[in-house]
Amino acid sequence: MERNPANFIEQIINEDLAGAFNKKNLRFRFPPEPNGYLHIGHAKAIGINFGLGEKYEAPVNLRFDDTNPSREQQEYVDAIIDDVAWLKYKWDKITYSSDHFEKLYFWAEHLINTGKAYVDSQTSDQIAEQKGTPTRTGSNSPCRERGVEENMKIFREMREGKHNEGVHVLRAKIDMADPNMLLRDPVMYRIMYKTHHRTGDKWCIYPMYDWAHGQSDYCEQVSHSLCSLEFQSHRKLYDWFVANLKSMKESGLELVPKQREFARLNLSYTIMSKRKLVSLVEKGHVSGWDDPRMPTISGLRRRGIPPISIINFCDKVGVAKRENIIDYALLDYCARETLNKISKRVMVVLDPVELIINNYPDENEEILDAENNPEDESYGFRKVPFSKYLYIEKDDFKEEANRKYFRLSIGKEVRLKNAYIIKANSVEKDNSGKIKRIYCTYDPLSRSRSGSPESKRKVKGTIHWVSKSKAVNINVRVYDRLFKKESPDGDQSVDFKSHINPKSLLILNNVYAAPSIKKASNDDYFQFQRKGYFKLDNCD
């Protein structure tokens, strides 16, 4: 795929390749934690890593950062694999941080043996207090000078399940005065008696992110470890861990990964926090992770946004070093740009009122031809039945209208799309005064594409319609933005859920579609003419 001029990450890679780095050693990875479904922000990271793989013809690992069994599930693993495949990206192999648990444990013992890690028996509150603040240096733990033999004994007991949760942790011994608080003896392992979705109950100690992440990159010989800007402060620790393992003869690994950071994607009128997305699902504000109002890839997929639109959107956003908020309208634009080219057209009346053509023969029914997609003639034509009795949209008619209203009104003409010119004559109302039926006449010589002079007669308005006798009753869900506020979680003093849009979902049951809709499949995208883009939804 042709891509934009080199971004700053590509420039880094190009500089490496211009030096001593061998192109055959390029390898990238996308490392999600399986604690929820992927969202549009992850799509950017997916596009960066897999896009680099395509550009440089290098392998890309899909690696699951599965180090916290209290939050991770196989359901999320399966959904992530499905989402990446739906985006049409191909991985070299699927890996897991848990693949490396044995090696990580062995390396942790190496750090203990070399005096660079120790078991701390303080409480989590004591450790937090003792670490200091950004403006106050930390103080050494009373456990920091434990001997190697004692540290090793306790650490092995931790693995054997001889200690309760929270009693001990393993910490790296770096510098409690370092201005980067992440280097103030970070925790490497904690005790957790939780069943892991892959390893079951084999382990009761689990590595922390900073220990597992870089070392998993190292194990897999990832050349460039790319992550979002919030991990920039982690880079020094990432390099410290790898450097202290590189000297091990037992590691057997040569290539040292290079971590670099890019600005994550923030989208207006939505949230990207997995914790908050989980809250929306668990509290029933949405129907699930794949609710079309969610910013998840599965939600966007169900909403009818094609995968190429998401990829194009991420390309337009680009790769930057500074975070900003992207207007949701850009995603809408990218979706419409694609959907206009690939959608089948169909006439659907969302809010129907009956229209009767008085001078059309009662027994007649014509079959008209209409283009399936005027953007692509290979889509061919569909058959559209036409008769005396039709449905049109209620808001396409007014009894009285000003000169700026170009739809149907008494005494005025409009064209029925792909059919005839009609003129409204009268209406029939119910006891409450609501219009039940509209009566009109048609010009029988004005049929579209008939070749007659009347067929080329110009009128200012064109409206869609459906033949009553062949109409298919369907249910339609119309979605709006889930939040009313551009930055729903921008004000931490207010619950972000208070900004939920109560009109974000409109369910329409009294909807009539032309009969071609009966052939719809899950692979089809539709433009309901004059209404918008829709897709078949197999929800309950």
Side-chain angles (χ1 to χ4, degrees):
M1 176 170 51
E2 187 68 26
R3 303 184 70 83
N4 294 327
N7 56 56
F8 79 93
I9 292 176
E10 292 171 346
Q11 290 171 6
I12 291 170
I13 296 170
N14 291 340
E15 289 171 4
D16 290 341
L17 294 175
F21 191 87
N22 194 322
K23 184 179 179 181
K24 72 177 184 179
N25 291 328
L26 280 177
R27 179 177 289 272
F28 306 100
R29 89 289 174 267
F30 171 62
E33 181 182 358
N35 62 352
Y37 282 55
L38 299 182
H39 54 60
I40 186 67
H42 294 110
K44 177 180 178 180
I46 292 170
I48 289 173
N49 284 286
F50 283 93
L52 290 170
E54 292 176 354
K55 179 180 179 68
Y56 293 99
E57 299 180 333
V60 184
N61 291 354
L62 173 55
R63 185 177 75 236
F64 291 94
D65 177 28
D66 55 343
T67 60
N68 187 354
S70 65
R71 300 172 59 192
E72 297 156 3
Q73 301 177 26
Q74 185 62 40
E75 173 195 350
Y76 300 142
V77 172
D78 296 340
I80 290 168
I81 292 172
D82 189 48
D83 285 344
V84 176
W86 179 72
L87 288 170
K88 311 298 185 186
Y89 287 118
K90 299 186 184 299
W91 51 83
D92 178 53
K93 52 188 175 182
I94 293 176
T95 63
Y96 299 81
S97 292
S98 55
D99 293 338
H100 312 301
F101 277 179
E102 202 68 55
K103 186 168 285 187
L104 291 172
Y105 177 84
F106 173 72
W107 285 347
E109 286 198 346
H110 168 74
L111 292 183
I112 292 173
N113 277 321
T114 55
K116 294 179 179 177
Y118 64 96
V119 174
D120 197 334
S121 304
Q122 296 182 104
T123 66
S124 57
D125 288 342
Q126 288 172 327
I127 291 174
E129 172 62 25
Q130 166 258 324
K131 285 190 75 168
T133 68
T135 57
R136 175 173 58 84
T137 60
S139 56
N140 288 345
S141 166
C143 305
R144 200 173 197 263
E145 299 309 319
R146 265 184 174 145
V148 169
E149 186 175 337
E150 185 181 3
N151 280 321
M152 191 68 74
K153 176 179 178 294
I154 299 173
F155 187 51
R156 288 175 176 172
E157 288 175 350
M158 289 166 60
R159 175 175 180 170
E160 293 165 4
K162 295 182 178 180
H163 297 284
N164 294 330
E165 289 188 9
V167 173
H168 304 293
V169 295
L170 182 71
R171 298 176 68 179
K173 186 186 288 188
I174 307 179
D175 183 359
M176 292 302 295
D178 197 291
N180 184 336
M181 289 189 63
L182 292 172
L183 274 81
R184 296 181 186 178
D185 292 9
V187 174
M188 295 171 60
Y189 276 92
R190 75 285 207 200
I191 302 170
M192 293 182 69
Y193 291 101
K194 301 288 190 300
T195 300
H196 190 278
H197 68 95
R198 291 187 74 230
T199 61
D201 296 321
K202 179 180 178 180
W203 293 87
C204 59
I205 57 170
Y206 289 93
M208 299 296 288
Y209 170 85
D210 281 313
W211 172 239
H213 181 67
Q215 285 29 267
S216 294
D217 286 342
Y218 189 39
C219 288
E220 297 171 18
Q221 291 290 269
V222 169
S223 61
H224 295 78
S225 178
L226 308 174
C227 51
S228 49
L229 276 178
E230 64 262 36
F231 293 102
Q232 188 169 29
S233 59
H234 294 244
R235 191 201 294 182
K236 191 174 178 181
L237 178 56
Y238 181 103
D239 293 342
W240 187 92
F241 277 135
V242 173
N244 279 279
L245 295 177
K246 181 71 169 62
S247 61
M248 285 181 64
K249 293 180 180 179
E250 297 90 341
S251 75
L253 301 172
E254 295 298 327
L255 188 146
V256 176
K258 175 183 287 188
Q259 176 178 304
R260 292 296 181 266
E261 307 81 20
F262 56 86
R264 66 180 180 179
L265 191 154
N266 297 300
L267 197 63
S268 65
Y269 297 99
T270 191
I271 56 174
M272 296 296 181
S273 162
K274 275 190 184 177
R275 178 179 57 83
K276 292 178 179 179
L277 293 176
V278 168
S279 175
L280 290 175
V281 173
E282 292 182 345
K283 299 295 184 182
H285 295 289
V286 292
S287 61
W289 284 96
D290 67 343
D291 188 300
R293 294 167 292 178
M294 290 279 274
T296 55
I297 294 175
S298 56
L300 297 172
R301 176 181 185 176
R302 188 175 154 200
R303 187 165 183 149
I305 296 181
I308 189 61
S309 297
I310 296 175
I311 294 169
N312 290 342
F313 167 71
C314 292
D315 279 347
K316 288 181 185 296
V317 170
V319 182
K321 297 181 181 181
R322 184 176 300 173
E323 289 191 357
N324 59 355
I325 296 177
I326 306 301
D327 195 327
Y328 200 103
L330 179 59
L331 178 59
D332 283 340
Y333 168 79
C334 291
R336 291 193 304 271
E337 189 177 42
T338 302
L339 289 167
N340 186 51
K341 298 174 183 177
I342 67 172
S343 294
K344 295 179 179 179
R345 273 51 170 179
V346 62
M347 289 192 286
V348 178
V349 177
L350 301 180
D351 188 16
V353 62
E354 188 175 356
L355 183 142
I356 300 174
I357 305 174
N358 289 326
N359 62 332
Y360 194 88
D362 288 352
E363 68 282 358
N364 256 28
E365 181 182 77
E366 294 180 69
I367 303 297
L368 307 177
D369 286 329
E371 292 176 298
N372 273 324
N373 187 335
E375 300 293 321
D376 189 342
E377 62 182 19
S378 70
Y379 278 67
F381 289 81
R382 66 187 187 280
K383 303 296 183 182
V384 183
F386 183 86
S387 64
K388 181 183 184 79
Y389 302 95
L390 309 174
Y391 289 121
I392 67 168
E393 298 283 356
K394 285 180 183 176
D395 63 4
D396 277 340
F397 174 79
K398 286 183 179 179
E399 283 188 85
E400 297 180 2
N402 59 36
R403 284 181 292 180
K404 293 184 179 180
Y405 184 79
F406 298 130
R407 287 169 280 176
L408 188 62
S409 60
I410 299 297
K412 292 187 177 180
E413 291 183 321
V414 297
R415 178 173 289 282
L416 297 173
K417 190 167 183 62
N418 301 122
Y420 298 94
I421 293 172
I422 60 170
K423 178 189 288 187
N425 301 315
S426 62
V427 297
E428 176 185 347
K429 299 181 180 180
D430 61 18
N431 293 334
S432 66
K434 291 183 179 178
I435 295 173
K436 288 177 59 178
R437 296 181 183 86
I438 303 165
Y439 294 94
C440 66
T441 55
Y442 86 118
D443 179 352
L445 299 177
S446 64
R447 181 164 61 87
S448 297
R449 295 192 297 274
S450 66
S452 69
E454 288 81 357
S455 70
K456 299 175 183 178
R457 184 158 63 89
K458 302 294 184 182
V459 291
K460 288 187 176 180
T462 298
I463 64 174
H464 64 282
W465 51 275
V466 174
S467 177
K468 182 179 178 180
S469 64
K470 297 296 173 64
V472 179
N473 186 212
I474 61 174
N475 297 322
V476 172
R477 289 175 171 84
V478 180
Y479 294 97
D480 198 356
R481 293 167 179 165
L482 183 58
F483 294 98
K484 299 175 291 182
K485 189 177 177 65
E486 184 177 13
S487 299
D489 58 352
D491 184 354
Q492 300 303 314
S493 66
V494 179
D495 184 353
F496 77 98
K497 293 189 288 295
S498 66
H499 300 303
I500 289 176
N501 177 9
K503 298 179 181 179
S504 61
L505 170 60
L506 177 63
I507 300 176
L508 305 174
N509 298 313
N510 188 34
V511 174
Y512 293 103
S516 62
I517 201 74
K518 291 189 287 187
K519 297 179 180 179
S521 76
N522 289 329
D523 296 327
D524 289 327
Y525 295 89
F526 290 96
Q527 184 192 91
F528 289 3
Q529 293 185 288
R530 301 178 61 236
K531 289 298 177 182
Y533 296 99
F534 293 81
K535 200 173 190 299
L536 184 66
D537 188 6
N538 292 325
C539 66
D540 294 333

